[in-house]
PDB file of all heavy atoms in Angstrom:
ATOM      1  N   VAL A 108      -7.149 148.569  78.265  1.00 78.00           N
ATOM      2  CA  VAL A 108      -8.149 149.596  78.087  1.00 78.00           C
ATOM      3  C   VAL A 108      -9.257 149.358  79.218  1.00 78.00           C
ATOM      4  O   VAL A 108      -9.721 148.207  79.380  1.00 78.00           O
ATOM      5  CB  VAL A 108      -8.836 149.483  76.744  1.00 78.00           C
ATOM      6  CG1 VAL A 108      -9.981 150.468  76.617  1.00 78.00           C
ATOM      7  CG2 VAL A 108      -7.842 149.691  75.629  1.00 78.00           C
ATOM      8  N   GLN A 109      -9.487 150.388  79.980  1.00 83.00           N
ATOM      9  CA  GLN A 109     -10.506 150.315  81.045  1.00 83.00           C
ATOM     10  C   GLN A 109     -11.556 151.358  80.790  1.00 83.00           C
ATOM     11  O   GLN A 109     -11.342 152.537  80.509  1.00 83.00           O
ATOM     12  CB  GLN A 109      -9.825 150.639  82.434  1.00 83.00           C
ATOM     13  CG  GLN A 109      -8.950 149.497  82.904  1.00 83.00           C
ATOM     14  CD  GLN A 109      -8.344 149.897  84.268  1.00 83.00           C
ATOM     15  OE1 GLN A 109      -7.877 150.983  84.451  1.00 83.00           O
ATOM     16  NE2 GLN A 109      -8.253 148.865  85.153  1.00 83.00           N
ATOM     17  N   CYS A 110     -12.821 150.931  80.945  1.00 87.00           N
ATOM     18  CA  CYS A 110     -13.952 151.882  80.857  1.00 87.00           C
ATOM     19  C   CYS A 110     -14.039 152.742  82.126  1.00 87.00           C
ATOM     20  O   CYS A 110     -13.620 152.278  83.170  1.00 87.00           O
ATOM     21  CB  CYS A 110     -15.270 151.159  80.646  1.00 87.00           C
ATOM     22  SG  CYS A 110     -15.350 150.352  79.042  1.00 87.00           S
ATOM     23  N   LEU A 111     -14.463 153.963  81.963  1.00 86.00           N
ATOM     24  CA  LEU A 111     -14.599 154.890  83.097  1.00 86.00           C
ATOM     25  C   LEU A 111     -16.045 155.309  83.407  1.00 86.00           C
ATOM     26  O   LEU A 111     -16.875 155.239  82.502  1.00 86.00           O
ATOM     27  CB  LEU A 111     -13.788 156.169  82.796  1.00 86.00           C
ATOM     28  CG  LEU A 111     -12.313 156.046  82.492  1.00 86.00           C
ATOM     29  CD1 LEU A 111     -11.777 157.432  82.058  1.00 86.00           C
ATOM     30  CD2 LEU A 111     -11.579 155.652  83.879  1.00 86.00           C
ATOM     31  N   CYS A 112     -16.266 155.648  84.609  1.00 88.00           N
ATOM     32  CA  CYS A 112     -17.521 156.290  85.006  1.00 88.00           C
ATOM     33  C   CYS A 112     -17.283 157.699  85.424  1.00 88.00           C
ATOM     34  O   CYS A 112     -16.323 158.014  86.108  1.00 88.00           O
ATOM     35  CB  CYS A 112     -18.198 155.493  86.088  1.00 88.00           C
ATOM     36  SG  CYS A 112     -18.755 153.812  85.604  1.00 88.00           S
ATOM     37  N   PRO A 113     -18.234 158.688  85.029  1.00 82.00           N
ATOM     38  CA  PRO A 113     -17.912 160.068  85.255  1.00 82.00           C
ATOM     39  C   PRO A 113     -18.130 160.556  86.680  1.00 82.00           C
ATOM     40  O   PRO A 113     -18.019 161.775  87.009  1.00 82.00           O
ATOM     41  CB  PRO A 113     -18.924 160.766  84.333  1.00 82.00           C
ATOM     42  CG  PRO A 113     -20.001 159.850  84.153  1.00 82.00           C
ATOM     43  CD  PRO A 113     -19.415 158.437  84.270  1.00 82.00           C
ATOM     44  N   SER A 114     -18.533 159.682  87.598  1.00 81.00           N
ATOM     45  CA  SER A 114     -18.801 160.113  89.000  1.00 81.00           C
ATOM     46  C   SER A 114     -18.458 159.034  89.975  1.00 81.00           C
ATOM     47  O   SER A 114     -18.569 157.800  89.649  1.00 81.00           O
ATOM     48  CB  SER A 114     -20.281 160.455  89.120  1.00 81.00           C
ATOM     49  OG  SER A 114     -20.779 160.362  90.457  1.00 81.00           O
ATOM     50  N   GLY A 115     -18.044 159.343  91.195  1.00 83.00           N
ATOM     51  CA  GLY A 115     -17.741 158.447  92.196  1.00 83.00           C
ATOM     52  C   GLY A 115     -18.966 157.659  92.703  1.00 83.00           C
ATOM     53  O   GLY A 115     -18.878 156.607  93.283  1.00 83.00           O
ATOM     54  N   GLY A 116     -20.167 158.172  92.325  1.00 86.00           N
ATOM     55  CA  GLY A 116     -21.435 157.513  92.742  1.00 86.00           C
ATOM     56  C   GLY A 116     -21.879 156.516  91.719  1.00 86.00           C
ATOM     57  O   GLY A 116     -22.982 156.015  91.748  1.00 86.00           O
ATOM     58  N   LEU A 117     -21.026 156.218  90.719  1.00 90.00           N
ATOM     59  CA  LEU A 117     -21.356 155.243  89.669  1.00 90.00           C
ATOM     60  C   LEU A 117     -20.221 154.250  89.675  1.00 90.00           C
ATOM     61  O   LEU A 117     -19.135 154.458  90.022  1.00 90.00           O
ATOM     62  CB  LEU A 117     -21.411 155.902  88.256  1.00 90.00           C
ATOM     63  CG  LEU A 117     -22.443 156.968  88.021  1.00 90.00           C
ATOM     64  CD1 LEU A 117     -22.251 157.623  86.662  1.00 90.00           C
ATOM     65  CD2 LEU A 117     -23.862 156.433  88.085  1.00 90.00           C
ATOM     66  N   GLN A 118     -20.620 153.002  89.353  1.00 90.00           N
ATOM     67  CA  GLN A 118     -19.594 151.935  89.234  1.00 90.00           C
ATOM     68  C   GLN A 118     -19.807 151.153  87.966  1.00 90.00           C
ATOM     69  O   GLN A 118     -20.907 151.112  87.422  1.00 90.00           O
ATOM     70  CB  GLN A 118     -19.633 151.015  90.475  1.00 90.00           C
ATOM     71  CG  GLN A 118     -20.965 150.225  90.561  1.00 90.00           C
ATOM     72  CD  GLN A 118     -20.993 149.465  91.895  1.00 90.00           C
ATOM     73  OE1 GLN A 118     -20.233 149.617  92.764  1.00 90.00           O
ATOM     74  NE2 GLN A 118     -21.993 148.468  91.952  1.00 90.00           N
ATOM     75  N   LEU A 119     -18.750 150.557  87.449  1.00 91.00           N
ATOM     76  CA  LEU A 119     -18.839 149.737  86.253  1.00 91.00           C
ATOM     77  C   LEU A 119     -19.736 148.526  86.501  1.00 91.00           C
ATOM     78  O   LEU A 119     -19.572 147.872  87.581  1.00 91.00           O
ATOM     79  CB  LEU A 119     -17.436 149.293  85.830  1.00 91.00           C
ATOM     80  CG  LEU A 119     -16.641 150.277  84.922  1.00 91.00           C
ATOM     81  CD1 LEU A 119     -15.345 149.700  84.591  1.00 91.00           C
ATOM     82  CD2 LEU A 119     -17.379 150.641  83.700  1.00 91.00           C
ATOM     83  N   GLY A 120     -20.586 148.300  85.574  1.00 91.00           N
ATOM     84  CA  GLY A 120     -21.499 147.104  85.700  1.00 91.00           C
ATOM     85  C   GLY A 120     -20.761 145.865  85.387  1.00 91.00           C
ATOM     86  O   GLY A 120     -19.594 145.915  84.975  1.00 91.00           O
ATOM     87  N   PRO A 121     -21.487 144.717  85.493  1.00 92.00           N
ATOM     88  CA  PRO A 121     -20.845 143.419  85.265  1.00 92.00           C
ATOM     89  C   PRO A 121     -20.175 143.275  83.915  1.00 92.00           C
ATOM     90  O   PRO A 121     -19.219 142.561  83.751  1.00 92.00           O
ATOM     91  CB  PRO A 121     -21.992 142.380  85.445  1.00 92.00           C
ATOM     92  CG  PRO A 121     -23.080 143.162  86.131  1.00 92.00           C
ATOM     93  CD  PRO A 121     -22.881 144.590  85.855  1.00 92.00           C
ATOM     94  N   ASN A 122     -20.736 144.032  82.918  1.00 89.00           N
ATOM     95  CA  ASN A 122     -20.161 143.857  81.560  1.00 89.00           C
ATOM     96  C   ASN A 122     -18.881 144.714  81.353  1.00 89.00           C
ATOM     97  O   ASN A 122     -18.226 144.610  80.328  1.00 89.00           O
ATOM     98  CB  ASN A 122     -21.182 144.282  80.487  1.00 89.00           C
ATOM     99  CG  ASN A 122     -21.647 145.759  80.565  1.00 89.00           C
ATOM    100  OD1 ASN A 122     -21.057 146.516  81.392  1.00 89.00           O
ATOM    101  ND2 ASN A 122     -22.649 146.114  79.837  1.00 89.00           N
ATOM    102  N   GLY A 123     -18.485 145.487  82.413  1.00 87.00           N
ATOM    103  CA  GLY A 123     -17.305 146.308  82.327  1.00 87.00           C
ATOM    104  C   GLY A 123     -17.390 147.483  81.328  1.00 87.00           C
ATOM    105  O   GLY A 123     -16.351 148.116  81.140  1.00 87.00           O
ATOM    106  N   ARG A 124     -18.570 147.769  80.865  1.00 86.00           N
ATOM    107  CA  ARG A 124     -18.661 148.868  79.792  1.00 86.00           C
ATOM    108  C   ARG A 124     -19.668 149.956  80.212  1.00 86.00           C
ATOM    109  O   ARG A 124     -19.516 151.091  79.933  1.00 86.00           O
ATOM    110  CB  ARG A 124     -19.095 148.236  78.485  1.00 86.00           C
ATOM    111  CG  ARG A 124     -18.090 147.367  77.825  1.00 86.00           C
ATOM    112  CD  ARG A 124     -18.395 147.100  76.331  1.00 86.00           C
ATOM    113  NE  ARG A 124     -19.720 146.724  76.109  1.00 86.00           N
ATOM    114  CZ  ARG A 124     -20.192 145.477  76.037  1.00 86.00           C
ATOM    115  NH1 ARG A 124     -19.331 144.492  76.287  1.00 86.00           N
ATOM    116  NH2 ARG A 124     -21.466 145.163  75.798  1.00 86.00           N
ATOM    117  N   THR A 125     -20.787 149.528  80.861  1.00 90.00           N
ATOM    118  CA  THR A 125     -21.799 150.491  81.221  1.00 90.00           C
ATOM    119  C   THR A 125     -21.667 150.762  82.764  1.00 90.00           C
ATOM    120  O   THR A 125     -21.169 149.963  83.519  1.00 90.00           O
ATOM    121  CB  THR A 125     -23.244 149.947  80.981  1.00 90.00           C
ATOM    122  OG1 THR A 125     -23.363 148.653  81.547  1.00 90.00           O
ATOM    123  CG2 THR A 125     -23.464 149.837  79.507  1.00 90.00           C
ATOM    124  N   CYS A 126     -22.171 151.947  83.148  1.00 92.00           N
ATOM    125  CA  CYS A 126     -22.074 152.427  84.536  1.00 92.00           C
ATOM    126  C   CYS A 126     -23.365 152.257  85.181  1.00 92.00           C
ATOM    127  O   CYS A 126     -24.404 152.599  84.663  1.00 92.00           O
ATOM    128  CB  CYS A 126     -21.620 153.840  84.568  1.00 92.00           C
ATOM    129  SG  CYS A 126     -19.973 154.151  83.935  1.00 92.00           S
ATOM    130  N   ILE A 127     -23.370 151.708  86.463  1.00 92.00           N
ATOM    131  CA  ILE A 127     -24.579 151.574  87.233  1.00 92.00           C
ATOM    132  C   ILE A 127     -24.489 152.449  88.470  1.00 92.00           C
ATOM    133  O   ILE A 127     -23.412 152.662  88.976  1.00 92.00           O
ATOM    134  CB  ILE A 127     -24.906 150.063  87.523  1.00 92.00           C
ATOM    135  CG1 ILE A 127     -23.751 149.404  88.185  1.00 92.00           C
ATOM    136  CG2 ILE A 127     -25.361 149.346  86.237  1.00 92.00           C
ATOM    137  CD1 ILE A 127     -24.023 148.029  88.708  1.00 92.00           C
ATOM    138  N   ASP A 128     -25.606 152.893  88.921  1.00 92.00           N
ATOM    139  CA  ASP A 128     -25.667 153.707  90.101  1.00 92.00           C
ATOM    140  C   ASP A 128     -25.350 152.986  91.397  1.00 92.00           C
ATOM    141  O   ASP A 128     -25.765 151.821  91.554  1.00 92.00           O
ATOM    142  CB  ASP A 128     -27.119 154.381  90.219  1.00 92.00           C
ATOM    143  CG  ASP A 128     -27.283 155.227  91.397  1.00 92.00           C
ATOM    144  OD1 ASP A 128     -26.450 156.186  91.536  1.00 92.00           O
ATOM    145  OD2 ASP A 128     -28.186 155.010  92.213  1.00 92.00           O
ATOM    146  N   ILE A 129     -24.567 153.646  92.267  1.00 91.00           N
ATOM    147  CA  ILE A 129     -24.418 153.168  93.640  1.00 91.00           C
ATOM    148  C   ILE A 129     -25.423 153.842  94.533  1.00 91.00           C
ATOM    149  O   ILE A 129     -25.409 155.085  94.573  1.00 91.00           O
ATOM    150  CB  ILE A 129     -22.978 153.445  94.147  1.00 91.00           C
ATOM    151  CG1 ILE A 129     -21.897 152.840  93.272  1.00 91.00           C
ATOM    152  CG2 ILE A 129     -22.778 153.114  95.630  1.00 91.00           C
ATOM    153  CD1 ILE A 129     -20.475 153.304  93.529  1.00 91.00           C
ATOM    154  N   ASP A 130     -26.229 153.077  95.209  1.00 92.00           N
ATOM    155  CA  ASP A 130     -27.244 153.690  96.139  1.00 92.00           C
ATOM    156  C   ASP A 130     -26.525 153.936  97.443  1.00 92.00           C
ATOM    157  O   ASP A 130     -26.493 153.071  98.309  1.00 92.00           O
ATOM    158  CB  ASP A 130     -28.442 152.772  96.263  1.00 92.00           C
ATOM    159  CG  ASP A 130     -29.544 153.436  97.060  1.00 92.00           C
ATOM    160  OD1 ASP A 130     -29.318 154.466  97.769  1.00 92.00           O
ATOM    161  OD2 ASP A 130     -30.708 152.911  97.013  1.00 92.00           O
ATOM    162  N   GLU A 131     -26.012 155.223  97.634  1.00 89.00           N
ATOM    163  CA  GLU A 131     -25.288 155.585  98.803  1.00 89.00           C
ATOM    164  C   GLU A 131     -26.221 155.494 100.015  1.00 89.00           C
ATOM    165  O   GLU A 131     -25.760 155.268 101.151  1.00 89.00           O
ATOM    166  CB  GLU A 131     -24.714 157.031  98.748  1.00 89.00           C
ATOM    167  CG  GLU A 131     -23.630 157.168  97.701  1.00 89.00           C
ATOM    168  CD  GLU A 131     -24.157 157.572  96.307  1.00 89.00           C
ATOM    169  OE1 GLU A 131     -25.366 157.440  96.093  1.00 89.00           O
ATOM    170  OE2 GLU A 131     -23.348 157.875  95.503  1.00 89.00           O
ATOM    171  N   CYS A 132     -27.475 155.653  99.899  1.00 89.00           N
ATOM    172  CA  CYS A 132     -28.413 155.687 100.991  1.00 89.00           C
ATOM    173  C   CYS A 132     -28.578 154.256 101.583  1.00 89.00           C
ATOM    174  O   CYS A 132     -28.626 154.094 102.826  1.00 89.00           O
ATOM    175  CB  CYS A 132     -29.811 156.176 100.522  1.00 89.00           C
ATOM    176  SG  CYS A 132     -29.789 157.772  99.805  1.00 89.00           S
ATOM    177  N   SER A 133     -28.541 153.215 100.747  1.00 89.00           N
ATOM    178  CA  SER A 133     -28.738 151.835 101.304  1.00 89.00           C
ATOM    179  C   SER A 133     -27.396 151.212 101.608  1.00 89.00           C
ATOM    180  O   SER A 133     -27.345 150.316 102.499  1.00 89.00           O
ATOM    181  CB  SER A 133     -29.475 150.971 100.308  1.00 89.00           C
ATOM    182  OG  SER A 133     -28.758 150.823  99.142  1.00 89.00           O
ATOM    183  N   THR A 134     -26.299 151.701 101.073  1.00 85.00           N
ATOM    184  CA  THR A 134     -24.969 151.121 101.347  1.00 85.00           C
ATOM    185  C   THR A 134     -24.358 151.748 102.614  1.00 85.00           C
ATOM    186  O   THR A 134     -23.291 151.274 103.103  1.00 85.00           O
ATOM    187  CB  THR A 134     -23.995 151.251 100.191  1.00 85.00           C
ATOM    188  OG1 THR A 134     -23.826 152.634  99.904  1.00 85.00           O
ATOM    189  CG2 THR A 134     -24.446 150.501  98.970  1.00 85.00           C
ATOM    190  N   GLY A 135     -24.948 152.874 103.093  1.00 79.00           N
ATOM    191  CA  GLY A 135     -24.400 153.498 104.341  1.00 79.00           C
ATOM    192  C   GLY A 135     -23.241 154.441 104.011  1.00 79.00           C
ATOM    193  O   GLY A 135     -22.603 154.931 104.912  1.00 79.00           O
ATOM    194  N   LYS A 136     -23.007 154.724 102.694  1.00 80.00           N
ATOM    195  CA  LYS A 136     -21.900 155.593 102.311  1.00 80.00           C
ATOM    196  C   LYS A 136     -22.287 157.031 102.518  1.00 80.00           C
ATOM    197  O   LYS A 136     -21.425 157.944 102.563  1.00 80.00           O
ATOM    198  CB  LYS A 136     -21.469 155.351 100.880  1.00 80.00           C
ATOM    199  CG  LYS A 136     -20.570 154.145 100.709  1.00 80.00           C
ATOM    200  CD  LYS A 136     -20.058 154.041  99.274  1.00 80.00           C
ATOM    201  CE  LYS A 136     -19.112 152.852  99.181  1.00 80.00           C
ATOM    202  NZ  LYS A 136     -18.849 152.470  97.736  1.00 80.00           N
ATOM    203  N   ALA A 137     -23.597 157.293 102.488  1.00 82.00           N
ATOM    204  CA  ALA A 137     -24.043 158.701 102.614  1.00 82.00           C
ATOM    205  C   ALA A 137     -23.921 159.248 104.023  1.00 82.00           C
ATOM    206  O   ALA A 137     -23.999 158.505 104.994  1.00 82.00           O
ATOM    207  CB  ALA A 137     -25.518 158.725 102.264  1.00 82.00           C
ATOM    208  N   LEU A 138     -23.515 160.552 104.147  1.00 84.00           N
ATOM    209  CA  LEU A 138     -23.375 161.193 105.408  1.00 84.00           C
ATOM    210  C   LEU A 138     -24.418 162.256 105.465  1.00 84.00           C
ATOM    211  O   LEU A 138     -24.334 163.309 104.958  1.00 84.00           O
ATOM    212  CB  LEU A 138     -21.992 161.845 105.502  1.00 84.00           C
ATOM    213  CG  LEU A 138     -20.761 160.815 105.410  1.00 84.00           C
ATOM    214  CD1 LEU A 138     -19.507 161.603 105.241  1.00 84.00           C
ATOM    215  CD2 LEU A 138     -20.705 159.998 106.747  1.00 84.00           C
ATOM    216  N   CYS A 139     -25.475 161.921 106.256  1.00 84.00           N
ATOM    217  CA  CYS A 139     -26.560 162.864 106.495  1.00 84.00           C
ATOM    218  C   CYS A 139     -26.755 162.999 108.019  1.00 84.00           C
ATOM    219  O   CYS A 139     -26.664 162.014 108.741  1.00 84.00           O
ATOM    220  CB  CYS A 139     -27.909 162.376 105.939  1.00 84.00           C
ATOM    221  SG  CYS A 139     -27.965 162.390 104.159  1.00 84.00           S
ATOM    222  N   SER A 140     -26.959 164.238 108.457  1.00 79.00           N
ATOM    223  CA  SER A 140     -27.082 164.459 109.942  1.00 79.00           C
ATOM    224  C   SER A 140     -28.425 163.784 110.438  1.00 79.00           C
ATOM    225  O   SER A 140     -29.328 163.471 109.584  1.00 79.00           O
ATOM    226  CB  SER A 140     -27.136 165.939 110.279  1.00 79.00           C
ATOM    227  OG  SER A 140     -28.080 166.657 109.542  1.00 79.00           O
TER     228      SER A 140
END
């Protein structure tokens, strides 16, 4: 059994049950002109 997050911008937290936000702005994943 694996917990899911409803968006690609969320990731499973350390407990494997709750979803935490990925800050695309600070990780460089965001594409802005």
